[in-house]
Structures are given as C-alpha cells and as structure tokens.
Amino acid sequence: MLTDKAGKGVDQATPDPEQSAHHPLRTGGNLLQLISPDGERISHPEFDLWIKDIGDEQLCALYEDMTVIRRIDTEATALQRQGELALWPPLLGQEASQIGSSRSLRDDDFVFPSYRESGVAYIRGAQLSEIAKVWRGNALYSWDPQRINMATPQIIIGSQSLHATGYAMGVQLDGASTAVLAYFGDGATSEGDVNEAMVFAASFQAPVVFFCQNNHWAISEPVRLQSHIQLADRPTGFGIPSMRVDGNDVLAVMAATRIALDRARKGGGPTFIEAVTYRMGPHTTADDPTRYRDANELEDWAAKDPILRLRRLLEAKGLLTGELEAQVKAKADAVGAELRTSCTTMPAPEPLDVFNHVYSTPNPWIERQKDHYSRYLNSFNETVEEGAL
C-alpha cells in the first residue's frame, strides 16, 4: 500500500526477497540498472516487480525530490562559502542513492546515517533549521531521533553500522516488523566497526540493511586502493547476501532497497547494498578534490548525473512539461530560501547550553561544572563594572 506519492512505505508481498537478493546481478561487474544514463527504461522482469507501483506521478515526485535535495546541497555549500556555516558535507551526485533508498522506508523503520545523508533527513521529516544547526556550530545534535526515526549524523566513520545492528537486534527481541537501515561510504568498509557490525548482524540474523554509497573516494583515496575486489563481494564472507546497483539510477536503488527491507522484516536477516555512485563535489567544504582527482573522471561521471538521467526518462515519456518544471523549480526555490533564512536568523546558543542534555536525569558532576563555569562567566561582568567605577 502506498503511503505517499513516491512509494514510501510500500508493502510488496508478491516477489520473493530471498530469490532477488541472491540473483546473479547481486555481485560482479554488472550493475543492476533500470534506467540507462541516456534515460532509457531497461526492463528486468524480476526487479521490475518491486517497483510496479511507480507510475508517471511517482516518477515526477522522485524527480522533484532529487531536485530539491540538490538545491539544499548547493544552498548549504554557498552558505558555508559565505561564512554562515562552519562546514558542509556535499551530497552532489548522490541524489538517486539517497532518494531511492529513503523513499523505500516505512515510517516505523529506523535510519542510522553518516554525516552526508542530509537528503535522507529531509525526506524523513527533519526541519531545514535542524539540518543546518550542527554545521553552523549552534548545537551538538540535529533533530530528535525519536520524532523522525533517524539517528543524528555520525561523524566517526562507520560507527553507525554498530549502532544500527544493535538497534536491529533490539527490534528482533521485541518481535517488531521494523527494519533498520545504516548508511556509510566506501571508505567505511575498511573500518573495523563495519566489519564487526556485519559479524553480529549475520550471527543473529538482525533485520538490518547495510547501504554503502560507493562514491569512489574515501576523502582523497580511491576505492580501488582500499579494495581489490568489489565492495559487494566483501559481506558474502560474513554470510550476508549483497546486491550491486547503479547508484545513479533511482529506480534500481529503490528496487534493491525494497528487496532488502522486505527480507529484513520477514526474518531473512541482513543485506548489503553497494550503490555505485560518484561524489561530484568535495568530501567536505574543507577539501579540495582537484588535488587528487582527474578532471576527466569528473567529466565522465557528469554524463551519468542521476537527475539528468531521470529527466531524460521523463522527456521520453512526455512528462517533462513546462508546468512540471515550474512546479519543481518553485519547490526547490522555496526550500532553498527557507534553508538560508533559517540559517542566517538562527539564534546563537547560550553559553550554559553546552551542559544541557548531557544526561537524561540531573547529574551532580555536571551541575558542579555548570556552576563553576557560570561563576567564571559572571566574573567578566564584575571586572567590567569595577573598571567602570
């Protein structure tokens, strides 16, 4: 049953997730692809079953989603360059991976992101001010995780995979049908945390999906340096089935994610998805990718742009009307303006706010520190008053 226009929360009971997750396209050189870079719809009967509900209206909604989160990204990047944000981790080029996967989730599913999933946060219902405030330096956290069923951004590479697995094991013990999805990049697959998470997930058949956005660059190191095999081949050593999909193809990502989530909910255990995409911008706004990346490589991947790909499909189907383009532009402009306003008018935190939310209950150790710091701050006012006399 569709719970929104883009297919979020779809219950697919007909296809067999076990069979799909073990399909020959799950690993190896071939990528699961349902839309070519030229915008041609590629038929694949088995995987088409998982997106059979995505008609013209849903395709247009996915196009709007991807365009809007790109606008969030470009606006936030501009805000950082203008000194309004301290740092920003761009998602440019990874829109299909984030929209295809997040629009496959149910409301009761729980997400554990890295620091780059601002597009996922937007889809899950985070306010734009909540997305911005951590990167502005106004808070130590973003949104309320329980409100949108999404943990706050994890800066430590790969740690969220352990959190996701632990949460999934708890879900399993509760007997709930909730699935858990953990996002991380290709660099994180070399971290011990991710491998330990897969050990536990496989051992206990936890309902968790490991979603790797292979954007080819772990900061300044290419993926080919850290792994001489395809990343989708790694989890098979833990007994976890995997799928390797074109991460710039929103329909392929959606089909793979739905398969994995359905498998998790039905007790089939964990699945690993390698979404092969490309980071078209810097690792963060503190990075200069021209120091380590060939411009020709960027040009090659620009031709595979995920939004351009879907746009070409819409054009071929006669759906990209002037009305649709105006609607999408208006939505992107409104979101961009809201992000800018919420950022530039955001009140600065009070000095003592740093002591809030450290513990869930009053703590004498924290209260003592707060008292000492308060008296220290007050001493400056006393000094000014004495000098004035």
Side-chain angles (χ1 to χ4, degrees):
M1 181 177 65
L2 282 174
T3 59
D4 73 13
K5 62 182 180 179
K8 181 179 175 183
V10 174
D11 182 14
Q12 300 281 359
T14 304
D16 184 351
E18 287 289 342
Q19 293 300 319
S20 297
H22 288 86
H23 190 278
L25 284 179
R26 67 184 176 86
T27 61
N30 293 326
L31 296 173
L32 171 59
Q33 189 178 88
L34 299 178
I35 309 175
S36 75
D38 293 330
E40 179 186 354
R41 179 68 169 87
I42 301 170
S43 178
H44 196 299
E46 180 179 348
F47 291 95
D48 285 347
L49 286 171
W50 291 90
I51 54 167
K52 63 184 180 181
D53 58 296
I54 304 299
D56 292 349
E57 181 182 351
Q58 288 75 27
L59 284 174
C60 293
L62 293 170
Y63 177 69
E64 179 179 292
D65 283 341
M66 292 165 64
T67 303
V68 168
I69 69 167
R70 177 166 290 188
R71 179 57 181 273
I72 290 172
D73 185 63
T74 54
E75 194 71 41
T77 300
L79 285 164
Q80 192 281 327
R81 299 307 191 202
Q82 295 160 9
E84 298 292 348
L85 294 178
L87 189 73
W88 179 254
L91 61 84
L92 183 65
Q94 298 179 218
E95 293 87 358
S97 292
Q98 295 200 17
I99 293 300
S101 57
S102 61
R103 281 300 188 188
S104 301
L105 293 160
R106 292 192 326 209
D107 288 341
D108 63 317
D109 293 333
F110 208 98
V111 178
F112 288 85
S114 73
Y115 43 78
R116 202 178 300 280
E117 279 71 53
S118 52
V120 177
Y122 170 77
I123 295 301
R124 294 297 281 174
Q127 300 298 313
L128 294 168
S129 59
E130 294 174 325
I131 295 173
K133 67 181 180 179
V134 166
W135 304 112
R136 189 170 171 85
N138 279 35
L140 297 176
Y141 61 96
S142 301
W143 47 80
D144 177 0
Q146 299 304 320
R147 180 174 64 83
I148 65 173
N149 276 8
M150 180 172 178
T152 53
Q154 177 58 257
I155 302 298
I156 301 172
I157 305 298
S159 294
Q160 67 274 17
S161 60
L162 285 172
H163 307 156
T165 300
Y167 191 96
M169 291 168 65
V171 165
Q172 191 176 47
L173 291 172
D174 288 342
S177 63
T178 299
V180 181
L181 194 152
Y183 289 95
F184 48 83
D186 47 288
T189 61
S190 295
E191 292 286 343
D193 284 0
V194 173
N195 290 274
E196 290 161 14
M198 288 195 285
V199 168
F200 270 83
S203 297
F204 294 95
Q205 289 296 280
V208 60
V209 177
F210 298 109
F211 192 93
C212 175
Q213 293 180 86
N214 176 3
N215 64 22
H216 285 75
W217 289 97
I219 306 183
S220 59
E221 296 295 348
V223 66
R224 64 180 178 275
L225 180 64
Q226 63 173 317
S227 181
H228 290 192
I229 62 171
Q230 310 215 333
L231 298 183
D233 288 329
R234 286 184 165 186
T236 59
F238 297 96
I240 297 176
S242 63
M243 288 178 281
R244 191 166 187 265
V245 305
D246 186 334
N248 285 5
D249 175 350
V250 68
L251 292 185
V253 171
M254 181 172 278
T257 308
R258 286 178 169 183
I259 290 167
L261 291 171
D262 195 59
R263 183 171 183 271
R265 294 187 189 110
K266 292 178 177 178
T271 304
F272 185 101
I273 297 173
E274 179 190 356
V276 181
T277 180
Y278 193 76
R279 168 169 59 80
M280 296 180 70
H283 178 72
T284 71
T285 48
D287 171 43
D288 178 8
T290 63
R291 298 178 61 185
Y292 55 80
R293 192 167 67 186
D294 189 337
N296 292 327
E297 179 180 296
L298 180 59
E299 184 178 346
D300 290 342
W301 278 94
K304 304 174 185 177
D305 183 284
I307 297 180
L308 178 60
R309 181 180 308 201
L310 184 53
R311 180 185 177 87
R312 286 170 172 164
L313 176 61
L314 295 179
E315 288 175 340
K317 292 172 69 67
L319 299 174
L320 195 65
T321 62
E323 181 182 358
L324 176 63
E325 290 193 275
Q327 171 191 313
V328 170
K329 183 179 184 302
K331 180 64 178 291
D333 287 346
V335 169
E338 182 183 345
L339 175 61
R340 176 167 289 274
T341 301
S342 67
C343 179
T344 57
T345 61
M346 192 178 296
E350 295 297 325
L352 295 180
D353 286 352
V354 70
F355 297 98
N356 297 338
H357 309 298
V358 177
Y359 290 97
S360 59
T361 57
N363 182 282
W365 183 60
I366 290 294
E367 292 300 321
R368 181 171 178 270
Q369 290 187 57
K370 185 176 182 178
D371 176 62
H372 285 188
Y373 189 52
S374 177
R375 287 190 281 121
Y376 167 73
L377 292 176
N378 288 336
S379 71
F380 289 97
N381 293 328
E382 293 169 3
T383 301
V384 170
E385 292 171 3
E386 290 173 2
L389 294 173

